[in-house]
């Protein structure tokens, strides 16, 4: 006797705060560039529509860094008209004059990730269960051990772990896109 029932609810919360700075130098003396820097923090109790809370009776326990939080980003783009051989003549100018270098450089912090247990320790049928955090999770940041694995332990049976979402941050990235081209 019921038709389609659709329910919507606002039960998750996110907060983004940032400082954004930008500098721009227009083309003069053969050089133009722009630099942008963002310092930010994103907190949430659910980073994705597909995530389920560890304890559905207390969603606020999942509050932590969002999986897409990147606290520092520096982006730099540039164009430089290389002045060497610009005023030369003949074959020298044809081969070596009129070159430009340009590129985009992006440097950013790594993404946070949440340490989870491979077992159903809580006895609720699985899911992304978290361990207890008992020490500093920052580790040697080496190829073999990025974070301090001894900072996490399995909580007592039938209890929820206290490790926050995003307790460990992955490595950052540096990306260079660079081009040298002869301007026609």
């Amino acid at each position: 006797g019921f038709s389609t029932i659709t329910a919507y609810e606002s039960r998750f919360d996110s907060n983004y705060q940032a400082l954004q700075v930008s500098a721009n130098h227009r083309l003069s003396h053969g050089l133009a560039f722009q630099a942008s820097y963002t310092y930010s923090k994103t907190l949430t109790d659910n980073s994705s529509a597909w995530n389920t809370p560890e304890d559905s009776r207390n969603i606020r326990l999942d509050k932590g860094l969002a999986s897409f939080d990147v606290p520092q980003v520096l982006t730099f783009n540039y164009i430089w008209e290389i002045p060497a051989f610009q005023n030369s003549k003949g074959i020298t100018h044809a081969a070596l004059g009129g070159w430009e270098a340009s590129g985009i450089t992006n440097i950013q912090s790594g993404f946070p990730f949440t340490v989870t247990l491979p077992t159903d320790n809580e006895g609720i049928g699985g899911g992304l269960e978290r361990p207890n955090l008992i020490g500093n999770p920052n580790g040697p940041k080496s190829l073999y051990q990025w974070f301090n694995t001894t900072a996490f332990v399995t909580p007592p049976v039938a209890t929820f772990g206290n490790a926050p979402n995003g307790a460990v941050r992955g490595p950052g990235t540096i990306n260079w896109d660079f081009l040298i081209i002869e301007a026609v």
Side-chain angles (χ1 to χ4, degrees):
F2 294 102
S3 63
T4 303
I5 299 174
T6 304
Y8 295 98
E9 63 178 308
S10 299
R11 64 189 267 192
F12 300 112
D13 187 30
S14 295
N15 183 310
Y16 174 77
Q17 297 177 4
L19 167 70
Q20 299 174 342
V21 179
S22 180
N24 192 7
H25 175 73
R26 299 193 187 274
L27 187 63
S28 70
H29 305 292
L31 179 65
F33 66 86
Q34 179 179 9
S36 300
Y37 175 74
T38 301
Y39 180 75
S40 66
K41 188 171 191 177
T42 306
L43 295 173
T44 186
D45 47 26
N46 192 343
S47 291
S48 166
W50 310 111
N51 288 354
T52 56
E54 184 176 42
D55 181 357
S56 61
R57 297 165 297 167
N58 189 354
I59 295 170
R60 300 301 173 237
L61 287 177
D62 284 356
K63 185 151 188 143
L65 292 174
S67 62
F68 48 86
D69 176 65
V70 180
Q72 296 190 65
V73 178
L74 173 64
T75 303
F76 187 68
N77 61 66
Y78 42 90
I79 299 174
W80 179 43
E81 295 172 349
I82 302 171
F85 304 104
Q86 224 173 23
N87 297 325
S88 61
K89 304 276 187 227
I91 294 173
T92 305
H93 180 71
L96 302 174
W99 287 86
E100 289 182 356
S102 63
I104 299 173
T105 302
N106 182 272
I107 304 168
Q108 69 179 43
S109 303
F111 292 99
F113 65 91
T114 302
V115 177
T116 59
L117 297 171
T119 61
D120 182 18
N121 186 65
E122 298 158 356
I124 59 172
L128 297 177
E129 300 175 16
R130 296 189 302 270
N132 278 341
L133 180 62
I134 61 166
N136 184 349
N138 294 319
K141 299 197 180 343
S142 71
L143 181 61
Y144 302 103
Q145 185 181 6
W146 186 257
F147 62 95
N148 180 7
T149 56
T150 61
F152 299 93
V153 296
T154 303
V157 175
T159 63
F160 294 102
N162 68 3
N165 277 323
V168 178
R169 187 167 300 277
T173 59
I174 300 175
N175 185 34
W176 293 83
D177 291 327
F178 188 74
L179 172 71
I180 295 180
I181 188 168
E182 185 176 16
V184 181

